[in-house]
Amino acid sequence: MPILARKSSSPGRTGEILRSDRVFRLLVDSMRDYAIFFLTPEGNVASWNPGAERINGYEFEEIAGKHFSIFFPVEDIAIGKPDFELKVAAETGSYRDEGWRIRKDGTRFWASVVTSKVLDENGKLIGFSKVTRDLTEHWEVEQQYKRLIEGVSDYAIYSLDKNGYITSWNTGARRLKGYETEEILGQHFSKFYIDEDIARELPKRVLEIAARDGHYESEGWRVRKDGSRFWSSVVVTPIRDNAGDLIGFSKITRDVTDRKILLEQIQQHARELEIKIREQQQMNAELEAFSYSVSHDLRAPLRAIEGFSDIILTDYGEKLPAEAKDYLQQIVASTVRMNRLVRDLLDYSRLARIELESAPVNVRSAIADALNQLDLDKQSMVSVAVDPKNLQVKAHGPVLRQVISNLINNALKFTKPGKLPTVAVKAFRLGESVRIQVEDQGIGIAPQHRDRIFQVFERLHGPDEYPGTGIGLAIVKRGINRMGGTVALQSELGKGSTFEISLPAT
Ligand code: ADP
């Protein structure tokens, strides 16, 4: 049976030592996962444990006395590796190695080997102990892992030693940075940084932070071999050995230039849009101020024209020829029209400026108030249905009344020639909103005009056909929007229209 060839060196020793010798031999023999054997100073096998038999495939009888180079592949023998191993072990005490070894049947295994020199009591070299482990499985897993990383092409994955010098380089790194593996290994990773970042010692800080925090993540410009730049997203992780000592870093880099460009474009658009909106707001404010002051200033001369025309008509009407009287009457009619225009314009521009505080408003009362502004005969043409009767809406009372009044006025006005108007006002709750509908059976509105009629001065008819200023619906829209609501329109040309406002319920 193979045993460790350790003989009791002094026959006179106690049984205790013999016993410990025996325990030691049993221990070594029991280690089936380790090939443990002894070499003479020349490198010949002198002992062999069951682990060695299992791993190398030789029985002790077959291998005893053979030179240990028998375990090496020819290429290692050719470069004198076995002798080198013993030489280093003899000089330094031990030698560690990982590499291919050959079994008796010619197959290879990946071995982790520790060779230590053995001295006798007088310090004379009596041989070498060798402990070998078969790490083929580990090696295969490692290779698979390496191949996996190597194969990744969308990410540059590489490793650095603890000072930042590159120790591995994958396909993605070659593709992304343009360097071949041979030319980049051993170089410092600061090579990829732009001058400004090198000047502020960013590479050094990256490693310091990664080592301190266990992780470093950031984005920034990096430089390719050809000098071109790309925007990278980087993750750096420290690599530590089993004892926890830092041995290097892994770096994963991704080219996210496209994303960065897109983001910048979006940000640029947003900035431009903001500027445009601000300009627009300023223009609107100026326009509002202008129209307000013009309308305001127009009132006094208008009143003068109206007043003096009236005086002429009353005081001198008798003396005037009929034609002159008619012209004067037209002047008065025009001032009435202009007065209405100015009043509406003022209402409209005031609506942009004033604070609209919303409070619960009783819908029935708001509709009743709007109706009360009409002549009695017109009131009778409007039916009202509010459900429930005490329906409340969150709104600014005066503006809501004006909006409803404008809609009812239009519904009564835009009737087919010779027909009496029929208008229905309905109000009800729908989910979180209150809807108020004003429905007529009038002339209707063609689809292509349904948006523009809500703008100031947009009218579809001449003043002779249907009088008006073209501001009523603009007031409706602005008022409702400012109260947080919306306006919708359904209409069929020649059949009628329904305007619906939606406001938050209380
Ligand atoms: P105005 O009524 O003073 O003309 P508005 O702003 O209230 O101004 O309305 C703008 C235009 O929209 C009207 O001139 C008319 O052509 C159209 N319009 C409004 N309401 C109705 C309706 N109920 N039926 C048909 N057309 C309408």
Side-chain angles (χ1 to χ4, degrees), residues 254-369:
R254 204 154 50 106
D255 180 352
V256 289
T257 315
D258 289 349
R259 198 190 69 193
K260 164 110 177 139
I261 291 172
L262 201 70
L263 200 73
E264 278 174 354
Q265 280 173 349
I266 292 171
Q267 283 167 343
Q268 178 64 22
H269 282 318
R271 274 195 295 274
E272 285 170 5
L273 214 64
E274 230 170 77
I275 292 171
K276 275 201 188 122
I277 289 172
R278 234 178 289 136
E279 284 173 357
Q280 195 79 46
Q281 280 170 342
Q282 198 175 341
M283 253 168 60
N284 282 351
E286 281 168 12
L287 214 66
E288 293 294 345
F290 174 76
S291 68
Y292 184 78
S293 70
V294 167
S295 325
H296 210 264
D297 294 351
L298 277 178
R299 281 181 138 177
L302 203 57
R303 258 197 305 272
I305 298 170
E306 199 183 4
F308 286 118
S309 306
D310 250 355
I311 292 170
I312 298 174
L313 269 176
T314 354
D315 294 358
Y316 307 99
E318 301 297 298
K319 298 174 197 155
L320 288 176
E323 207 177 350
K325 244 173 108 173
D326 183 46
Y327 287 147
L328 262 179
Q329 265 152 358
Q330 283 193 39
I331 292 176
V332 173
S334 290
T335 56
V336 170
R337 193 173 131 64
M338 189 135 171
N339 245 325
R340 201 178 303 139
L341 200 74
V342 168
R343 190 198 58 209
D344 284 358
L345 257 183
L346 278 173
D347 282 350
Y348 181 67
S349 64
R350 196 180 300 122
L351 206 50
R353 273 197 306 271
I354 56 165
E355 274 304 317
L356 294 190
E357 292 239 357
S358 287
V361 175
N362 183 292
V363 178
R364 244 172 103 82
S365 317
I367 296 170
D369 289 347

Side-chain angles (χ1 to χ4, degrees), residues 410 413-414 440 445 453 458-461 468-470 472-473 497:
N410 280 350
K413 183 165 58 175
F414 294 101
D440 64 49
I445 302 157
I453 54 170
E458 290 289 350
R459 313 194 68 238
L460 306 177
H461 312 275
T469 58
L473 285 183
S497 313

Side-chain angles (χ1 to χ4, degrees), residues 377-395:
D377 59 329
K378 287 211 168 161
Q379 285 183 28
S380 65
M381 297 169 187
V382 183
S383 72
V384 178
V386 180
D387 182 31
K389 286 201 163 51
N390 63 349
L391 182 66
Q392 300 231 51
V393 67
K394 219 171 136 218

